[in-house]
Every structure is written in C-alpha cells, then in structure tokens.
Amino acid sequence: DPNLAAAHVGLGIYRLGENSTSRAKAEFLAALQTSPKDVLAREYLASIYQVDLKDPNRALAYLIDVPNLMPSYPDAFYHLGSIMDDLGQYDASIKYLKTAIDLDKGHVGEAGQYGLPLLGQVYLKIHKLTEAKLAFSEAIVYGEAPEFSQSELDKIKRGDIK
C-alpha cells in the first residue's frame, strides 16, 4: 500500500542501496507525511542530511525527538552523539554516546559497533587523553573498529596526540 509509511521507508532504504540519495530522501519525506513520528524515516533522513548533505543542523531537527519516541533505541543516541560532534557540542556528544553504548550492551547496532571509537575521538578533541585511551581500549576488546582504535591508542601512547 503506497499510503503506508513502511512502504516509503522500505523504498527509501532500497534507493539508498542504489546510491540514489535524492530519491531515498523523497521516500523518507513521503513516509513522514503519512506518519510524522516514523523513527526509521527520521533516522535515515538525519543520516542523509548529516553525511551526504553536510547539514548537521537539519539532521538534528529530524532526529532530536526520536529518543522521546523510543527511549531505549541506542542507534538514535549514537547518531545524536555524532551530530553533536559535528556541531562542536562535545559535552552533549559524550552524553549521547555514553547512553548509546550503555543501551547497546550486545554491540550489535551502530552504537555497539562504532560508539566507543567515536567517543574516543570526541575525547581527543577536548584533550581528555585518559578517557580517550579507555574508550579506544574498550573498542578493541569489543571489536569496534579495532584497527582504527589500535592506531589511535598507539598514537596516544607514543605521544603523537596531546
């Protein structure tokens, strides 16, 4: 049924797989016309605006209410942490990322696969090396971008990052 938000979300995901961002965006916007609180449509639109269109403020506008709609959805908190990082709001980024990591204990979603390395990067930006080392060390233990995390940890240990 073309009037269902889920149909538009599914087509949007399909369009992203075809690298057709503009068509995907149109489908996610159509989903929100039918169902303004559709969490997946909001998440995917936020990602398009943040990553493809380099507009983190617009991304934030789509995603900011998602934790109110689904308070235990770790990937929403992960994406909010990433957006806040892009906006230079590092304290907020840390708060969102820690929440995402705590919610994704199984390390299965984006939060559980990339949360710790991103948290380490944010700590580096505000010169909190001890916290960054811990985040990168935990990332290695849990297999979250282990090569990148090890590389960053090595840079810290060598004194290349201060």
Side-chain angles (χ1 to χ4, degrees), residues 32-106:
L32 291 181
Q33 289 295 320
T34 304
S35 179
K37 295 180 180 181
D38 189 288
V39 170
L40 284 179
R42 288 172 166 268
E43 180 182 358
Y44 278 102
L45 276 169
S47 180
I48 288 170
Y49 277 102
Q50 181 188 13
V51 176
D52 298 315
L53 302 176
K54 307 292 186 224
D55 187 350
N57 284 305
R58 190 81 179 265
L60 181 61
Y62 281 107
L63 199 61
I64 195 68
D65 288 336
V66 171
N68 295 327
L69 300 170
M70 286 187 73
S72 60
Y73 184 40
D75 289 351
F77 288 96
Y78 167 78
H79 288 292
L80 283 167
S82 178
I83 291 167
M84 290 300 176
D85 176 35
D86 285 353
L87 293 171
Q89 301 295 319
Y90 302 123
D91 290 339
S93 177
I94 290 166
K95 179 182 167 220
Y96 282 122
L97 289 170
K98 284 182 169 184
T99 300
I101 292 161
D102 288 344
L103 287 171
D104 193 350
K105 295 288 186 203

Side-chain angles (χ1 to χ4, degrees), residues 101-120:
I101 292 161
D102 288 344
L103 287 171
D104 193 350
K105 295 288 186 203
H107 301 275
V108 293
E110 288 175 286
Q113 294 176 21
Y114 309 108
L116 286 165
L118 181 55
L119 181 61

